[in-house]
């Protein structure tokens, strides 16, 4: 008897694993299930004739086409967003080196006083004090369709990078400007390296703002596309998740839950892929 109970337990565990695997947790899987649902309803032909026009086959095909477009729009914005963030970050990373080297050059200048050095050090600390957070970039798809790019041309591949919010970026660049402005007023500051001259430091500073604007605009574009996609999928009474679920219920009510027709669509899950903490009143269903 113990062996039988143990076997049943194993079978139950295997079934649970299968169910877990079949429940797609990606938008691509979700879209694939939509294609399968529409194909199964198409096989029913004229027998699939719900009174609700919102779940007619023609309407569901239209909905499926729209969510595919919306999902592709999100994908199209993600890599440009990360590329602009990385471009901003690479420029941002130079700030510490510029500040450190300029400070050392100032310390080594003739005629500089300890009081002047102390002021410069305190201003430099402001450049280094802003906290940064980490992000991880996704692989980039090759433009020729040959697969995932792994060369140096796609440095965004699986590399942990530092990212800064707009406030952090503005705060740190503002501190850098104060540091450079102070050095520009010190006649003792006379670096040997061209890149450390006031003109070069200010040129570097002026290059940062456009990079920040581009990065924030790209982030906004991705968020906007993602919001539109999420509404197409999960809006409470209009999104594809609601409509596809209603279509499945119609098949169950017409043919019965044990029918071959219902079995074709029963195993097609349409979970809400938005994390609970990120759901809005429009996407709570």
């Amino acid at each position: 008897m113990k062996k039988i109970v143990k076997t049943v337990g194993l079978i139950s565990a295997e079934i649970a694993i299968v169910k877990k695997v079949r429940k797609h947790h990606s938008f691509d899987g979700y879209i694939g299930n939509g294609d399968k649902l529409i194909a199964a309803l198409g096989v029913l032909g004229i027998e699939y004739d719900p009174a609700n026009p919102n779940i007619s086959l023609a309407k569901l095909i239209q909905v499926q086409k729209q969510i595919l477009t919306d999902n592709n729009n999100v994908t199209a914005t993600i890599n440009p967003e990360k590329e602009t963030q990385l471009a901003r970050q690479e420029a941002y990373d130079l700030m510490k080196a510029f500040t450190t080297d300029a400070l050392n050059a100032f310390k080594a200048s003739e005629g500089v006083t300890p009081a002047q050095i102390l002021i410069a050090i305190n201003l430099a600390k402001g450049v280094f004090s802003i906290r940064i957070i980490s992000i991880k970039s996704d692989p980039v798809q090759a433009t020729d369709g040959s697969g995932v790019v792994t060369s140096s041309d796609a440095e965004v591949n699986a590399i942990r990078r530092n990212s800064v919010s707009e406030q952090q970026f503005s705060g740190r660049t503002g501190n850098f400007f104060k540091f450079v402005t102070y050095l520009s007023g010190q006649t003792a500051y006379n670096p040997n390296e061209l890149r450390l001259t006031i003109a070069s430091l200010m040129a570097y500073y002026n290059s940062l703002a456009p990079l920040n604007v581009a990065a924030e605009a790209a982030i906004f574009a991705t968020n906007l596309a993602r919001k539109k996609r999420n509404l197409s999928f999960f809006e409470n009474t209009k999104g594809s998740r609601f409509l596809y679920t209603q279509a499945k219920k119609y098949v169950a009510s017409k043919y019965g839950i044990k029918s071959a027709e219902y079995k074709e669509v029963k195993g097609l899950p349409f979970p809400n892929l938005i994390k609970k903490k990120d759901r809005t009143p429009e996407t709570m269903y």
Side-chain angles (χ1 to χ4, degrees):
M1 180 63 70
K2 289 183 179 180
K3 290 184 179 181
I4 295 175
V5 172
K6 186 175 182 181
T7 302
V8 170
L10 288 173
I11 293 174
S12 298
E14 289 175 358
I15 292 174
I17 291 173
V18 170
K19 287 183 176 179
K20 184 175 182 181
V21 171
R22 291 182 66 185
K23 186 175 181 179
H24 294 291
H25 289 281
S26 70
F27 286 102
D28 289 339
Y30 184 108
I31 292 172
N33 283 343
D35 288 335
K36 293 175 184 176
L37 174 65
I38 289 172
L41 299 180
V43 171
L44 298 178
I46 59 174
E47 291 186 12
Y48 181 75
D49 58 346
N52 182 356
N54 287 327
I55 59 172
S56 67
L57 185 59
K59 177 64 176 181
L60 295 182
I61 291 174
Q62 179 184 348
V63 169
Q64 181 71 356
K65 182 179 180 180
Q66 184 61 52
I67 64 173
L68 180 61
T69 298
D70 291 341
N71 195 52
N72 287 340
N73 288 341
V74 173
T75 302
T77 63
I78 289 176
N79 284 334
E81 174 201 340
K82 291 183 177 178
E83 287 170 2
T84 57
Q85 287 200 67
L86 289 172
R88 175 175 70 174
Q89 187 59 48
E90 287 170 352
Y92 183 91
D93 288 341
L94 295 174
M95 193 182 296
K96 181 177 180 180
F98 273 123
T99 303
T100 300
D101 293 346
L103 180 60
N104 289 335
F106 184 53
K107 290 178 181 179
S109 300
E110 294 183 6
V112 65
T113 67
Q116 290 173 318
I117 292 176
L118 181 59
I119 293 173
I121 289 174
N122 287 332
L123 289 172
K125 287 180 179 178
V127 178
F128 304 144
S129 64
I130 305 298
R131 183 178 66 85
I132 53 181
I133 57 177
S134 293
I135 60 172
K136 186 174 183 179
S137 298
D138 292 334
V140 177
Q141 193 69 27
T143 55
D144 61 0
S146 61
V148 173
V149 177
T150 56
S151 68
S152 58
D153 293 333
E155 202 175 8
V156 295
N157 293 334
I159 299 174
R160 293 203 65 84
R161 292 281 183 167
N162 288 324
S163 176
V164 289
S165 70
E166 183 175 11
Q167 181 180 2
Q168 291 169 329
F169 189 93
S170 299
R172 199 161 182 181
T173 51
N175 290 337
F176 181 75
F177 178 77
K178 293 176 183 178
F179 173 73
V180 176
T181 300
Y182 175 74
L183 292 183
S184 68
Q186 309 307 307
T187 56
Y189 183 67
N190 187 26
N192 294 324
E193 294 185 60
L194 178 62
R195 70 184 186 91
L196 298 179
T197 62
I198 297 300
S200 294
L201 294 176
M202 287 305 297
Y204 165 72
Y205 167 78
N206 290 329
S207 72
L208 298 176
L211 292 173
N212 192 43
V213 170
E216 294 303 319
I219 292 170
F220 178 81
T222 299
N223 289 340
L224 193 65
R226 187 175 284 116
K227 181 179 180 181
K228 187 177 187 304
R229 188 269 311 275
N230 289 350
L231 279 177
S232 292
F233 280 59
F234 307 120
E235 191 171 5
N236 292 335
T237 59
K238 299 178 182 178
S240 60
R241 180 171 188 260
F242 176 80
L243 298 178
Y244 291 170
T245 301
Q246 293 301 306
K248 288 173 61 176
K249 288 180 179 179
Y250 171 78
V251 174
S253 66
K254 181 169 184 175
Y255 295 99
I257 59 174
K258 294 184 179 180
S259 65
E261 290 82 359
Y262 182 60
K263 287 180 180 179
E264 288 296 316
V265 300
K266 179 182 178 181
L268 299 175
F270 297 100
N272 192 334
L273 300 175
I274 305 176
K275 294 179 181 179
K276 289 185 178 180
K277 66 181 180 65
D278 296 328
R279 294 177 190 175
T280 64
E282 297 172 297
T283 57
M284 290 302 294
Y285 165 70

